[in-house]
Amino acid sequence: MMKRVDIKVATLAAIIGLALTGCSGDDGQNGTDGEPGKDGNPGIPVATDAKALTVAIDKVVIGDQSDITFKVTNEKELPVVGLEKFGFILSGLEQGTNGDANDWSLLSSEACPASKYSKCGSLTDNKDGTYSYRFEKDLTSETGFTITDDKTLRLVLRTGGEAVGQAEVAYANTSYDFRGEGEAALYSKNVVNNQNCAGCHDDFAIHGGKYTEVETCVSCHTENKVSDASKIFPMLAHDAHIGVISAPVGGCDNCHSENEQATDFANWKMVPTQETCITCHTDVDFKEGVNHWPYDDNAQCASCHTPEVIESVHLSTYQGQNERRSNLHLTVTDAKMVPAPQAEENKGKAGSFVQLTIDILDKDGKSRNEQLDKVNYLYYAEFYINWGDQDQGLGFGESVADGRGKVLRVHTNKGPYPGYSEKPIVLNYENGKTTYEIGPFDMDDKFKGDLTDLYGTVSPRIWFCMDASGENIMDCDGQTDWSNGAAGYNWLEFFNTQGLMEERPRRQIVTNELCGDCHGTTTSEDGFVQMTLNCRNCHSKAGDGEFHGTTCVSGNVDSEEQILLKNLMPRGERDWTTASNAAEECMACHNANVVPTQVIRDAHTKQGDKDYVEQLTMSHPDQKVWIHAMHANNRANQSGEGWRRNVEYSADLANCGKCHVKDSYDAKFLVGRKPLALDLDYMDTYTDPTDPVNGRYAVDGVADAYVSPTAAVCLSCHGKRAAQEGEDRRQVRAEVVSHMKQNGAQFGVTLDEYNGEESCAVCHNLNNLKEVHGQK
């Protein structure tokens, strides 16, 4: 008989209680009496209710007869008696040999009360908050694993799913790793944990919500438990995420990131095995020698696939980008709005102009003393500019004023469309600094009046060419040097009529770190963090048909005049195009003044549809609308069965704090904002943009109707219901639109009809929003 392992733990408390939260209000009435408390030992106060349970393991004896003694308390540290529902999982960790990874083996999974899925051993309630459990199974009988004094064992104890007092306590899992003779485990394999998952997911609960920790999953989805190798946890997790998550596929550190609990976060590059590699590299058959020479085991994998090689192969794109980026910096040294043009080419044009001064710096921060428009090593250098932000006394920026703004295209890979890609106008060049003048900007806004005293933004889009080594800048010849190049870092500068502003005037709504939790981040050595979001998932590119270079088309028209929508799936490489700066620079184009584009209309939202205006609203490019609608799968080009652009958001859409900084989602910030512009007769007036005489581009949309801003934002999440039989997309919820209209919202009204008198924030104040969205 295997010798028994007797372990006593004084005060081990693995606290994993998920507090029950919900939306509730005070009705002013006294609550009803709770159920009588369950009897405990005489003289011992026991809990009459609980929001969460804490489990402390007191004693574990493992052998042919295995016993556990543990104590359960509530959040007030009172003993909880009378519990009847528990789960017990015990697994052992086997050290890998011949290159194999260390693997868990399931020794037993039991639960009380018993069911068709699990047996229940002997459970005893000691009436003082402590419980005793004897496993039904002889844990030494597992043929694939031998318990010894030095091997790590893991006990997972499940609580919850039953009422304590009047409220049911949420499921929670407590895990405890140990080894024989009462000593701490020498080693425990923790590659990922809930903290890694929490970047994208709000919580982690599967199998009816009973299992809430990654430690539980790896303990049960083991080779000796599951019959299908694809269900072993590493393979199962890869299969569920590869090509599905919103971060670049090759970025293993999206999930395998370091934290205090994930002690083996680097396992992905330290222990290469064929079992995990083929979950991504599906075209490889190691046994048959397809796309790799054949071998029988993992013994030699690490000989070639060293940690350095694996990291380089998977992450070199963005790590190399960081190294290459350091060779060149385009820096705005000054920017200001002037009331009249100074460049000869602009003389006689009505309106104000932005003067932008740019210096080219080397990796040491010194000027290269070169005129920007005359160098040949920039594949593109474009600067997106807009104007019209204001504070309004609330500490936030108003919507920018000038439609898609202006783009200073000093170097560009865009097509030569008239009015879209024009030759830059140089005002001055001196001491390595080139000053450009771009405009005109209209300072008279139809909603805000004179905009002269406000401020503007400028952000770049940069790519420069290098040799194959990634060490030397070289002139672009349009071939290999382009792919060897580097995307410059994004940045955002604020300026006014006096020049660059030293302090940030706009409230912070999102951050690179928050967005990067799901989309990935790229960090330089000096700590500069950017969200790794590939804009080309939505934007047009060369070969995308006749609309390339004219608009953000979210797809293209193929030769049969059918809409060919691009997939929203992430690319395989990080930072192949410029990363994003918390989406703020997108405001230059993605604002309330820009009407929805041709392709969205032609694909799924057509004039004459009964919900035409509402569908256009949810498909609007305004930043505060399209981000919500896209994540909620509510845009007109989403939500169809089998459509390529569907999004399955991995968290709770009601969790505003997942993306927003603090209370930046307060409805007061929408009061007085500019309405969203629509062009309702666009399809009647649209013409072929290649027509040299009458061509009308998608960027030439003319606003003829407007939608209230608060209604548009709220509709972006709350506006759709699930499609019913025979419907090819989710339908607009008429009752939601009606409620909004009853409270002042306007949809598709003319400029003269628009009054801006929404009353949403009266009821939906910050406290109300937090309550109904379940926010703390």
Side-chain angles (χ1 to χ4, degrees):
M1 181 180 72
M2 172 69 190
K3 87 169 184 176
R4 307 178 78 196
V5 180
D6 190 338
I7 300 176
K8 291 186 177 180
V9 185
T11 55
L12 173 68
I15 303 173
I16 309 177
L18 298 180
L20 293 177
T21 59
C23 302
S24 63
D26 185 353
D27 61 8
Q29 302 296 321
N30 292 329
T32 58
D33 293 337
E35 295 179 0
K38 298 175 181 179
D39 292 336
N41 286 340
I44 298 178
V46 297
T48 58
D49 57 26
K51 294 181 179 179
L53 301 177
T54 297
V55 175
I57 308 297
D58 180 59
K59 184 179 181 180
V60 180
V61 176
I62 302 298
D64 52 357
Q65 288 185 349
S66 301
D67 298 284
I68 308 169
T69 302
F70 56 96
K71 186 174 184 178
V72 183
T73 56
N74 69 357
E75 66 279 3
K76 299 176 183 178
E77 300 185 357
L78 290 173
V80 180
V81 302
L83 296 176
E84 298 176 347
K85 292 185 178 181
F86 293 97
F88 306 93
I89 297 173
L90 191 80
S91 298
L93 185 60
E94 193 74 77
Q95 295 282 335
T97 58
N98 294 323
D100 293 341
N102 301 332
D103 285 326
W104 292 99
S105 293
L106 179 66
L107 303 183
S108 186
S109 176
E110 302 178 8
C112 299
S115 69
K116 65 178 181 179
Y117 301 108
S118 59
K119 295 181 179 181
C120 176
S122 176
L123 176 67
T124 302
D125 181 354
N126 299 317
K127 302 300 181 181
D128 59 357
T130 66
Y131 296 80
S132 301
Y133 180 75
R134 172 165 290 181
F135 275 87
E136 188 271 342
K137 181 180 178 180
D138 173 1
L139 298 182
T140 67
S141 65
E142 180 61 42
T143 57
F145 187 88
T146 301
I147 299 174
T148 64
D149 290 345
D150 60 345
K151 288 184 179 179
T152 298
L153 301 175
R154 170 171 290 172
L155 171 67
V156 177
L157 202 158
R158 190 200 75 222
T159 57
E162 60 182 307
V164 179
Q166 291 188 322
E168 183 173 296
V169 182
Y171 286 110
N173 301 166
T174 299
S175 63
Y176 169 47
D177 294 353
F178 60 96
R179 64 185 175 101
E181 300 183 355
E183 297 182 12
L186 295 173
Y187 164 75
S188 190
K189 184 179 181 181
N190 293 301
V191 177
V192 294
N193 59 16
N194 282 36
Q195 187 174 338
N196 300 106
C197 303
C200 287
H201 301 280
D202 284 331
D203 53 30
F204 189 81
I206 57 176
H207 294 300
K210 293 181 178 180
Y211 303 115
T212 60
E213 304 294 323
V214 176
E215 289 84 350
T216 308
C217 303
V218 300
S219 300
C220 205
H221 282 267
T222 60
E223 184 176 3
N224 71 317
K225 167 68 174 178
V226 297
S227 57
D228 184 349
S230 67
K231 303 304 181 184
I232 300 172
F233 184 74
M235 283 64 84
L236 177 68
H238 282 185
D239 185 61
H241 291 84
I242 300 303
V244 177
I245 61 174
S246 54
V249 173
C252 304
D253 57 350
N254 294 324
C255 298
H256 295 279
S257 56
E258 184 175 6
N259 62 60
E260 293 180 359
Q261 288 75 41
T263 52
D264 292 328
F265 78 96
N267 208 61
W268 65 276
K269 61 182 177 180
M270 302 297 293
V271 188
T273 66
Q274 62 138 344
E275 293 81 9
T276 53
C277 290
I278 61 175
T279 58
C280 288
H281 302 281
T282 56
D283 60 341
V284 175
D285 188 324
F286 293 99
K287 301 301 182 184
E288 299 297 327
V290 178
N291 293 320
H292 194 285
W293 52 82
Y295 73 102
D296 294 326
D297 54 35
N298 296 313
Q300 300 301 317
C301 295
S303 299
C304 296
H305 300 284
T306 64
E308 294 75 20
V309 169
I310 294 174
E311 181 170 333
S312 175
V313 169
H314 289 84
L315 305 182
S316 61
T317 298
Y318 84 92
Q319 289 178 343
Q321 283 286 305
N322 279 344
E323 294 173 3
R324 294 183 178 108
R325 283 173 172 165
S326 64
N327 286 280
L328 189 74
H329 301 272
L330 296 190
T331 302
V332 171
T333 62
D334 197 12
K336 61 182 177 181
M337 180 71 76
V338 296
Q342 297 179 19
E344 287 298 324
E345 298 92 325
N346 287 327
K347 293 290 180 64
K349 297 179 181 178
S352 298
F353 287 74
V354 169
Q355 295 177 354
L356 197 65
T357 303
I358 303 162
D359 197 356
I360 311 175
L361 307 181
D362 62 18
K363 58 185 173 182
D364 297 320
K366 297 180 180 179
S367 176
R368 291 173 60 99
N369 291 312
E370 296 171 313
Q371 186 169 329
L372 179 59
D373 53 285
K374 292 186 177 181
V375 301
N376 296 316
Y377 48 76
L378 281 159
Y379 183 58
Y380 52 74
E382 302 175 340
F383 301 86
Y384 289 75
I385 308 164
N386 215 322
W387 180 267
D389 276 20
Q390 67 185 84
D391 191 297
Q392 283 196 328
L394 289 173
F396 67 90
E398 176 57 84
S399 297
V400 289
D402 195 21
R404 284 186 170 85
K406 300 289 189 297
V407 184
L408 174 63
R409 304 186 192 278
V410 181
H411 299 271
T412 186
N413 61 338
K414 298 289 186 182
Y417 297 96
Y420 186 78
S421 179
E422 298 178 330
K423 182 179 179 181
I425 296 175
V426 178
L427 182 63
N428 183 50
Y429 172 73
E430 186 177 2
N431 298 325
K433 297 179 177 63
T434 313
T435 301
Y436 298 91
E437 188 174 80
I438 185 169
F441 288 80
D442 187 356
M443 293 290 104
D444 185 17
D445 182 75
K446 64 185 69 174
F447 296 99
K448 297 298 178 181
D450 186 5
L451 305 179
T452 304
D453 293 333
L454 307 185
Y455 65 86
T457 60
V458 56
S459 60
R461 176 176 175 265
I462 305 164
W463 189 282
F464 55 91
C465 298
M466 303 190 73
D467 60 17
S469 69
E471 296 179 356
N472 302 302
I473 296 172
M474 64 178 292
D475 288 349
C476 301
D477 61 16
Q479 299 178 12
T480 57
D481 54 280
W482 181 89
S483 60
N484 292 329
Y489 273 118
N490 281 80
W491 36 254
L492 184 69
E493 297 281 1
F494 298 91
F495 66 94
N496 55 22
T497 57
Q498 305 301 311
L500 291 177
M501 303 177 72
E502 295 183 0
E503 296 184 2
R504 174 190 175 88
R506 186 203 297 273
R507 68 184 174 113
Q508 191 77 51
I509 302 172
V510 295
T511 65
N512 290 334
E513 290 81 358
L514 282 171
C515 296
D517 281 342
C518 275
H519 293 289
T521 55
T522 299
T523 306
S524 65
E525 291 183 357
D526 59 1
F528 188 82
V529 179
Q530 288 204 288
M531 173 177 57
T532 307
L533 181 64
N534 193 325
C535 299
R536 282 188 173 178
N537 284 331
C538 291
H539 284 241
S540 58
K541 58 183 178 180
D544 270 357
E546 63 183 282
F547 297 107
H548 167 60
T550 66
T551 183
C552 320
V553 298
S554 300
N556 64 283
V557 179
D558 66 14
S559 58
E560 297 179 357
E561 297 300 318
Q562 298 294 316
I563 299 302
L564 186 62
L565 295 174
K566 290 188 291 184
N567 204 316
L568 280 175
M569 289 298 99
R571 290 163 61 116
E573 299 171 327
R574 269 188 165 164
D575 272 359
W576 196 243
T577 57
T578 310
S580 297
N581 190 20
E584 287 193 302
E585 72 265 16
C586 303
M587 286 285 293
C589 295
H590 287 270
N591 56 71
N593 309 286
V594 182
V595 301
T597 61
Q598 152 73 12
V599 170
I600 287 175
R601 302 161 183 271
D602 208 27
H604 305 295
T605 307
K606 299 179 175 62
Q607 291 169 223
D609 289 349
K610 65 178 181 179
D611 56 5
Y612 177 52
V613 172
E614 291 81 5
Q615 291 282 0
L616 279 183
T617 298
M618 281 179 276
S619 298
H620 203 284
D622 186 23
Q623 186 80 353
K624 60 184 178 291
V625 172
W626 83 263
I627 284 186
H628 287 132
M630 185 270 294
H631 285 90
N633 215 41
N634 276 344
R635 289 170 65 83
N637 60 3
Q638 294 177 291
S639 308
E641 183 177 354
W643 287 8
R644 294 164 57 89
R645 300 184 65 77
N646 289 345
V647 169
E648 294 185 11
Y649 187 56
S650 55
D652 183 358
L653 282 168
N655 184 2
C656 306
K658 194 74 176 176
C659 303
H660 279 269
V661 174
K662 298 181 179 179
D663 295 337
S664 60
Y665 56 89
D666 192 335
K668 73 178 183 182
F669 295 126
L670 294 172
V671 176
R673 295 292 287 265
K674 293 174 65 173
L676 276 64
L678 302 177
D679 186 356
L680 297 183
D681 66 353
Y682 187 94
M683 291 304 295
D684 290 338
T685 58
Y686 182 83
T687 57
D688 184 352
T690 61
D691 185 325
V693 178
N694 300 311
R696 183 182 178 210
Y697 296 90
V699 294
D700 294 332
V702 178
D704 58 17
Y706 298 90
V707 177
S708 302
T710 310
V713 173
C714 296
L715 195 71
S716 63
C717 274
H718 295 282
K720 293 287 187 76
R721 62 168 174 80
Q724 297 178 355
E725 186 176 356
E727 295 176 338
D728 65 350
R729 57 176 166 80
R730 295 200 297 171
Q731 305 300 297
V732 175
R733 297 171 62 190
E735 73 278 10
V736 172
V737 176
S738 176
H739 169 76
M740 292 176 173
K741 289 181 176 179
Q742 289 172 0
N743 290 277
Q746 295 175 284
F747 290 86
V749 299
T750 65
L751 177 62
D752 292 336
E753 294 171 330
Y754 183 73
N755 56 41
E757 295 179 356
E758 290 180 294
S759 59
C760 309
V762 175
C763 293
H764 298 292
N765 55 37
L766 181 60
N767 289 334
N768 171 267
L769 289 175
K770 287 185 174 181
E771 181 179 345
V772 299
H773 288 88
Q775 304 293 293
K776 296 180 179 179

